Amino acid sequence: MTTPEHQSPAPQPPVPASKDRIYRSPAGIAGGVLLLALVLWLGIDAVVAGEGRTPWVALAAMLFLVPLIAAYTVRPAVFAGDDRLRVRNPFRVIVLPWGQVASLRSGYSNEVVTESGAKYQLWSVPVSLRARKKAARREARRTAGDGRGRGRGGAFGGFSGGLSGGSSGGGAAAAMDDGPVRAETDKVMDDLRELLEARAKAETSQGEVTVRWAYEVVGPAVAGGVLLAVLLAVG
């Protein structure tokens, strides 16, 4: 008799890593693209048609302005993954494991606070007081509408119940499930807080906070600023 051969189990496919949630400011990106187009258009025109030192001044101005405009408008982003929060600000990239994040604060700006007390602003999630006021007005109108609807239901409960059956109750439940009306950036902060609560104590979410300066932005801007100052001083 021959002993049966035990077949080795088939290798399991690797579990794909979850993608980071990316939060950026569409308005900031749109404004930055327009500013960059304007600066490049004027600068290139001055380089081509300018005389004397004008082309050099235009080149220095573009070298100074383009990195700064891109840094403050197009570059900022927040990447939220299962293990860490990566904040790309104009001149720095901050990597914060969830275990090192103490809280996420919203005031006149949105900030992340570490366990050591350091604060880092989330440039790509700007606070809009106008959007908050608009959301508060919509929430007040919705609350007032719910109150009037409940009042009418109480006064004519038997009559309305006979007509609509369970549909009115389902509509009220759906309205309650929607939750309070919030500004978009406040919704983003709520999402980040939920992710923090879920992942703060995970083993893979521990580590040290790292901060890296964006020399690819700082270098050209400093060089362009120095060159522009020298050209203007020489006059």
Side-chain angles (χ1 to χ4, degrees), residues 15-230:
V15 178
S18 60
K19 294 183 179 180
D20 291 348
R21 307 178 192 177
I22 304 175
Y23 302 98
R24 309 184 74 173
S25 173
I29 294 174
V33 170
L34 291 176
L35 282 176
L36 287 172
L38 179 62
V39 169
L40 291 174
W41 174 46
L42 295 176
I44 294 174
D45 181 70
V47 170
V48 173
E51 299 178 354
R53 293 187 308 109
T54 300
W56 294 103
V57 172
L59 285 173
M62 285 191 294
L63 186 61
F64 174 64
L65 291 175
V66 168
L68 291 181
I69 294 173
Y72 281 100
T73 58
V74 180
R75 175 180 169 82
V78 170
F79 303 86
D82 289 340
D83 300 330
R84 64 180 185 172
L85 179 70
R86 184 161 61 96
V87 181
R88 192 171 69 191
N89 281 344
F91 301 113
R92 293 187 296 181
V93 177
I94 306 102
V95 179
L96 306 106
W98 288 117
Q100 290 292 330
V101 177
S103 64
L104 290 152
R105 296 180 182 175
S106 295
Y108 291 104
S109 64
N110 291 317
E111 298 175 338
V112 55
V113 183
T114 67
E115 294 288 349
S116 63
K119 300 177 183 178
Y120 302 100
Q121 185 175 347
L122 305 181
W123 278 83
S124 66
V125 190
V127 170
S128 172
L129 298 180
R130 180 181 179 183
R132 281 183 178 174
K133 292 179 180 178
K134 183 177 179 180
R137 288 194 298 268
R138 291 178 57 192
E139 176 63 16
R141 287 197 297 267
R142 193 189 75 159
T143 303
D146 290 345
R148 289 194 296 269
R150 286 194 295 269
R152 288 193 297 268
F156 304 99
F159 183 69
S160 63
L163 281 179
S164 59
S167 61
S168 61
M176 294 298 292
D177 290 341
D178 289 340
V181 179
R182 303 270 284 165
E184 287 299 322
T185 54
D186 290 336
K187 292 179 183 178
V188 170
M189 295 301 289
D190 291 341
D191 291 342
L192 293 179
R193 291 189 185 101
E194 291 178 2
L195 195 54
L196 170 61
E197 292 178 3
R199 299 296 301 170
K201 296 183 179 179
E203 183 178 354
T204 55
S205 300
Q206 310 306 313
E208 298 296 328
V209 177
T210 60
V211 180
R212 181 183 68 85
W213 285 93
Y215 294 106
E216 65 275 13
V217 175
V218 177
V222 171
V226 171
L227 180 58
L228 182 62
V230 169

